[in-house]
Amino acid sequence: MGNQVNELARGIIAGEEKALAKGLTFIENRKSGYRELLDSIYPEVRSCPIWGLTGAPGVGKSTITNYLVDSLANRSERIGVIAVDPTSPFSGGAILGDRVRMMDLAGREGIFIRSMASRGALGGLSPAIMDAVSLYQAFGVDRILVETVGVGQSETDIVSLADTVAVIMMPGTGDDVQTIKAGLLEIGDIFAVNKADLEGAETLAGLLQSMLSSRNGDEKWVPPVIKLVASQGQNLDTLLEKFLDHQKSLEKSGQKEKKEKMRNEMALKMHLQARFQDLYLGPLLGTEDWEKAIKSINRREKSPAYWAEKLISRSD
Amino acid sequence: MGENKIRVLIAKPGLDGHDRGAKVVAQALRDAGMEVIYTGLRRTPDQIVSAAVQEDVQVIGLSSLSGAHNHLFKKVAELLQEKGHEDILLIGGGIIPEKDRKQLEDVGFDRIFSPGTSTEDIVSYIKEKVNG
């Protein structure tokens, strides 16, 4: 076991693709020894810009990611992509389809793409995805792109993970209130209205503009709204420029360190939550106390809140 | 501690525009709790193998209805061997005549499923082979 971990760590640090691929599986499956793996690569983690793309299914995230990766690789950058798709809550399985739009990138030097299922993480990102970023950074990439499905109200995790977040939208997906309530306005550094050749694009872009101008704060960065037709390559170069601009602005204002701190806090929090679950929740499930609590809740004797408190105090 | 999810790459090599069957299989595998990386139509053997390596899948499933399976399927098997990935379970399906099936199994395919195979059979075959 220890040998396997050492061998993986060595390979990842040496930039071997196969070791990175195996290492990602290792941390994703939370195999015993995954902590040691993370520990041994951690001193070699080199921070690099992390860009996030989020938006509802079908708005064009993968097509846009494909363009960005292609352009950056043409500048001889090494790029790591993490494409997250949801796990089915019913079967635990997933169809990871982001490669359909990125297949021309397959096999190209300096591009590593990994599709990951959300595996039940509520905010869209699991701790394994934070760890995957660390593995990429020890492997040695110049930039990481993370693509997540925004389901509307729960993709705020991407803010803690990425330095720059682009929210991708398209016209015709609901009324104006949807746009406001989804909480997307608060998380984007860049807003892109894709499929801008469809009716309603102008209205959506206008609405975004006016909403964003009232976004509070003393931020120096004013989030741009860009209209795209990604399938025809229209305006994608502008989007790339905005990403680069935002990155410069972060570096100038000293926000970059703040983002890094936020990311580390998030990673630590996620790991702690997972440990708490292992230590406290896991051993309780199905025990006599547990059954007793459920019965009492069923009979309306005591509330779940009461029992949570009671069980926690008993478990130490 | 962790659980070992079965990861499968489903691909259609070559010039073949029909992917309904591949999608049906992909869904069946998802419903059986597997993570399925679906790569879409018209892929080259190089793209398929390179994607399979980065995704670290235990299984590759190829589908072909175009008649070019002998060449394309064989190429995938060769590339996998070349790169030292014989451990990946390699299966195929589509319109593939009996005699070609045997030939493909000789060059490295673990199994070629014939038209009419039930998705349950594919699921249980994969589970048995991967989990032992």
Side-chain angles (χ1 to χ4, degrees):
Chain A
M1 178 56 66
N3 264 344
Q4 193 195 357
V5 170
N6 289 343
E7 189 49 31
L8 277 178
R10 186 206 56 74
I12 291 167
I13 292 163
E16 290 166 16
E17 205 178 91
K18 192 173 170 181
L20 177 60
K22 296 273 174 211
L24 287 167
T25 307
F26 207 80
I27 54 153
E28 239 198 325
N29 287 342
R30 292 304 196 224
K31 284 194 188 157
S32 72
Y34 86 92
R35 290 196 192 93
E36 288 77 2
L37 176 64
L38 281 170
D39 268 353
S40 29
I41 55 117
Y42 218 74
E44 300 299 324
V45 166
R46 301 282 172 265
S47 66
C48 69
I50 303 172
W51 294 356
L53 290 99
T54 190
V59 294
K61 292 181 298 294
S62 301
T63 307
I64 294 168
T65 304
N66 185 58
Y67 169 84
L68 294 173
V69 175
D70 179 54
S71 310
L72 294 163
N74 284 340
R75 302 174 181 197
S76 53
E77 277 195 23
R78 287 161 62 85
I79 312 290
V81 180
I82 300 174
V84 186
D85 270 330
T87 293
S88 155
F90 304 107
S91 68
I95 292 193
L96 311 173
D98 294 315
R99 273 188 180 265
V100 172
R101 312 262 181 279
M102 292 191 239
M103 215 50 194
D104 293 336
L105 304 174
R108 266 178 59 184
E109 190 66 32
I111 299 175
F112 194 102
I113 302 170
R114 183 64 171 235
S115 313
M116 292 177 86
S118 57
R119 296 200 183 177
L122 283 177
L125 297 183
S126 67
I129 290 163
M130 308 293 275
D131 299 338
V133 166
S134 300
L135 254 56
Y136 273 171
Q137 289 178 327
F139 172 76
V141 291
D142 300 309
R143 205 179 297 278
I144 296 172
L145 270 69
V146 183
E147 190 190 314
T148 61
V149 177
V151 282
Q153 275 121 353
S154 65
E155 66 276 89
T156 41
D157 287 359
I158 190 81
V159 178
S160 317
L161 175 66
D163 300 315
T164 304
V165 175
V167 173
I168 321 290
M169 296 183 177
M170 61 179 270
T173 56
D175 62 19
D176 305 350
V177 183
Q178 301 292 345
T179 314
I180 308 164
K181 83 168 181 197
L184 288 166
L185 285 170
E186 288 92 329
I187 67 167
D189 301 301
I190 300 167
F191 289 82
V193 175
N194 192 25
K195 311 191 188 185
D197 50 347
L198 297 181
E199 206 188 308
E202 221 37 78
T203 318
L204 177 57
L207 175 76
L208 281 171
Q209 266 323 343
S210 66
M211 303 288 317
L212 287 167
S213 64
S214 61
R215 194 164 97 164
N216 77 332
D218 36 282
E219 312 168 70
K220 297 231 167 52
W221 175 263
V222 181
V225 179
I226 315 161
K227 282 176 285 173
L228 309 170
V229 185
S231 59
Q232 288 161 41
Q234 226 176 80
N235 244 355
L236 285 169
D237 48 348
T238 315
L239 179 66
L240 175 58
E241 259 167 55
K242 295 297 175 194
F243 262 111
L244 293 167
D245 286 350
H246 184 256
Q247 191 186 317
K248 267 183 224 139
S249 135
L250 284 180
E251 279 159 14
K252 243 203 211 142
S253 64
Q255 288 277 308
K256 201 168 167 17
E257 285 72 32
K258 224 171 118 186
K259 288 262 182 186
E260 179 112 38
K261 190 172 165 242
M262 228 166 100
R263 179 156 57 242
N264 292 336
E265 272 177 16
M266 178 81 162
L268 179 57
K269 221 158 102 186
M270 281 181 160
H271 274 275
L272 273 171
Q273 276 168 355
R275 284 299 286 155
F276 287 150
Q277 191 144 345
D278 286 350
L279 286 173
Y280 297 109
L281 185 57
L284 272 174
L285 294 176
T287 58
E288 224 169 277
D289 282 350
W290 178 267
E291 296 302 335
K292 202 170 116 195
I294 297 290
K295 251 185 220 147
S296 144
I297 296 166
N298 279 344
R299 290 198 210 106
R300 306 263 190 279
E301 290 166 6
K302 293 281 181 198
S303 71
Y306 167 87
W307 277 108
E309 220 26 60
K310 187 105 183 153
L311 290 172
I312 272 291
S313 56
R314 200 172 295 176
S315 70
D316 24 74
Chain B
M1 176 183 289
E3 53 172 334
N4 293 323
K5 282 260 180 212
I6 299 179
R7 285 169 65 89
V8 186
L9 186 112
I10 299 283
K12 288 201 63 91
L15 298 172
D16 176 353
H18 305 279
D19 64 350
R20 197 179 160 80
K23 280 177 178 155
V24 168
V25 171
Q27 271 193 35
L29 300 183
R30 191 239 357 231
D31 292 343
M34 302 179 199
E35 290 180 356
V36 183
I37 292 113
Y38 186 72
T39 66
L41 296 164
R42 299 184 195 91
R43 302 309 171 199
T44 68
D46 275 304
Q47 288 174 336
I48 292 168
V49 170
S50 151
V53 172
Q54 292 193 345
E55 299 287 359
D56 192 29
V57 293
Q58 295 110 307
V59 186
I60 298 177
L62 300 180
S63 153
S64 170
L65 305 174
S66 71
H69 48 266
N70 277 340
H71 173 66
L72 293 164
F73 279 25
K74 197 172 155 216
K75 185 82 191 142
V76 172
E78 282 169 2
L79 281 169
L80 284 173
Q81 277 151 24
E82 220 172 87
K83 297 189 173 184
H85 295 287
E86 297 94 336
D87 54 325
I88 298 178
L89 185 74
L90 186 56
I91 58 181
I95 310 291
I96 296 165
E98 180 70 38
K99 65 171 172 45
D100 294 353
R101 243 175 266 161
K102 294 224 174 60
Q103 245 179 44
L104 288 169
E105 284 169 2
D106 285 341
V107 296
F109 274 76
D110 294 280
R111 179 80 180 266
I112 301 287
F113 291 97
S114 54
T117 306
S118 78
T119 51
E120 286 93 1
D121 287 347
I122 302 175
V123 167
S124 53
Y125 176 79
I126 291 176
K127 281 192 170 162
E128 192 195 308
K129 283 285 178 181
V130 173
N131 294 331

